[in-house]
Amino acid sequence: MKKYRWGIIGLGDIATQFAAGFASDASELYGVCARRYSKVQAFAERFSIPQAYESAEAMLADPSIDIVYIAVPNDIHHHYIMAALAAGKHVLCEKAITTSGDELAEELALAKEKGLVLEEAMTIYNMPLYHRLKEIVASGKLGKLKMIQSPFGSYKDPDPQNRFFNPDLGGGALLDIGTYAVSFARFFMSESPKVEFSSMKPFETGVDEQSVTILRNPADEMASVTLTFQAKMPKTGIVAFEEGYITVEEYPRADKATIHYRDGSNEFIETGDTTQALNYEIANMIKTIEGTSKGSIHLTSDVIAVLDQMQQFWKQTK
């Protein structure tokens, strides 16, 4: 059986989590690169990664690398995705995979041309809990989907220079926590939604600090998405059906949910392991490359389209 070799671009917190917990029978961490070679060397030594490359170009030119994991600021995702695909590498990119639908369309066209897999590292689409919940929904026991609530609030130090508020680094709540909230809603919706309404309060740098958005699809399934970077909110997703509703605590990496039936009874669902969230992404990436999974890029495409619509709404209502 082929053992796939991964290369990491970036040394931030999520790259550290990825390397520290990496566990895969079908693949291995082989290389890492970033702008500062001294830090690359230290990272490689810390996590026993064989190759520390002096540049992304050097890593992408190495035929030993099969898959590239991109963990850099949002504003340069597109550059590295295109470079990796052009070099013949499969790509798993951190969320938000791109800053616009136009960028994603360009990336998907190149991936198709090259016969490569491009996926977003969205934990929601990979956690076993969600696939178990989808089976329950598909059984029909909950009836038709009516309403979804996906709040996400996180307090960030209001520093205009940090990546959360810096427009030059793809800052704003939407491209950070917003991708989780919209992805949660899209996962349960039977069809792609459109933005019915969205209102945003900007930070002093112009990026979105908080927003409220209403989504609706042709099946009349609706969702509210509420985001803020200046207040914490419980990350509790609610999915309401005719015969009951599901609550998912800490929904970005959830392994537990409760179904509250209309008759007053409850069903507790637990599957998967929150601590293995990134390894589920790794495993599903391999399955998608090998053709045993269709992946989740189709859902990601719908989410990016929603993010585009939200930003258009904000421009029109300034």
Side-chain angles (χ1 to χ4, degrees):
M1 182 180 72
K2 177 179 174 62
K3 199 157 181 99
Y4 297 90
R5 287 178 167 177
W6 290 78
I8 300 174
I9 300 179
L11 303 178
D13 291 343
I14 194 65
T16 299
Q17 290 180 42
F18 186 88
F22 189 95
S24 171
D25 292 335
S27 60
E28 62 183 336
L29 275 182
Y30 184 78
V32 60
C33 67
R35 291 178 178 175
R36 295 185 182 179
Y37 185 54
S38 60
K39 290 189 175 182
V40 172
Q41 289 176 305
F43 190 96
E45 183 177 352
R46 177 183 176 186
F47 297 112
S48 301
I49 300 173
Q51 296 294 322
Y53 298 94
E54 292 190 13
S55 67
E57 291 77 15
M59 189 178 82
L60 295 178
D62 188 345
S64 299
I65 297 291
D66 301 299
I67 312 169
V68 173
Y69 173 63
I70 297 174
V72 295
N74 293 331
D75 64 306
I76 49 176
H77 282 184
H78 182 62
H79 169 78
Y80 284 116
I81 289 173
M82 293 298 287
L85 292 172
K89 316 299 184 186
H90 302 289
V91 176
L92 177 66
C93 182
E94 268 305 324
K95 52 80 192 165
I97 191 169
T98 62
T99 60
S100 73
D102 288 343
E103 287 182 350
L104 183 56
E106 187 179 356
E107 294 159 7
L108 289 173
L110 183 57
K112 183 177 180 180
E113 175 189 328
K114 295 282 189 177
L116 297 167
V117 168
L118 170 62
E119 288 285 316
E120 181 182 55
M122 172 48 65
T123 50
I124 288 170
Y125 299 150
N126 293 280
M127 297 300 293
L129 175 72
Y130 285 100
H131 297 283
R132 175 65 186 127
L133 292 175
K134 186 62 76 72
E135 290 173 356
I136 293 170
V137 171
S139 74
K141 65 190 295 185
L142 291 173
K144 292 181 179 179
L145 172 63
K146 292 296 184 179
M147 182 69 68
I148 298 171
Q149 295 179 16
S150 49
F152 201 136
S154 179
Y155 184 85
K156 303 299 183 185
D157 181 26
D159 178 359
Q161 298 304 312
N162 70 31
R163 72 175 182 87
F164 299 111
F165 296 109
N166 189 332
D168 294 331
L169 297 178
L174 185 65
L175 294 176
D176 191 85
I177 58 178
T179 54
Y180 285 116
V182 178
S183 294
F184 179 85
R186 178 63 190 95
F187 183 80
F188 289 99
M189 286 180 148
S190 62
E191 299 179 63
S192 180
K194 292 189 180 300
V195 175
E196 292 277 295
F197 171 81
S198 188
S199 180
M200 181 270 284
K201 176 186 178 295
F203 186 68
E204 63 186 68
T205 59
V207 303
D208 60 297
E209 177 188 304
Q210 63 187 47
S211 62
V212 176
T213 301
I214 303 299
L215 307 179
R216 184 175 184 172
N217 67 13
D220 286 330
E221 299 162 351
M222 301 182 74
S224 64
V225 175
T226 50
L227 310 172
T228 178
F229 257 174
Q230 288 289 273
K232 290 188 71 66
M233 291 193 292
K235 295 186 283 290
T236 302
I238 300 174
V239 192
F241 301 82
E242 292 171 320
E243 301 300 327
Y245 64 94
I246 302 170
T247 55
V248 185
E249 305 288 341
E250 299 297 325
Y251 67 79
R253 297 187 180 185
D255 55 17
K256 302 177 183 67
T258 304
I259 303 176
H260 310 261
Y261 291 100
R262 202 171 66 181
D263 64 6
S265 63
N266 295 329
E267 180 181 0
F268 187 65
I269 309 294
E270 182 173 2
T271 185
D273 180 351
T274 295
T275 66
Q276 295 301 308
L278 302 188
N279 282 325
Y280 295 132
E281 294 178 346
I282 291 165
N284 284 336
M285 183 68 179
I286 300 299
K287 289 177 183 177
T288 305
I289 290 169
E290 295 185 338
T292 58
S293 169
K294 70 176 183 178
S296 54
I297 195 65
H298 60 294
L299 296 175
T300 296
S301 295
D302 287 350
V303 170
I304 295 298
V306 167
L307 304 191
D308 275 356
Q309 291 171 44
M310 290 169 69
Q311 292 176 91
Q312 277 300 121
F313 227 100
W314 301 341
K315 288 177 183 178
Q316 293 167 5
T317 53
K318 275 186 177 180

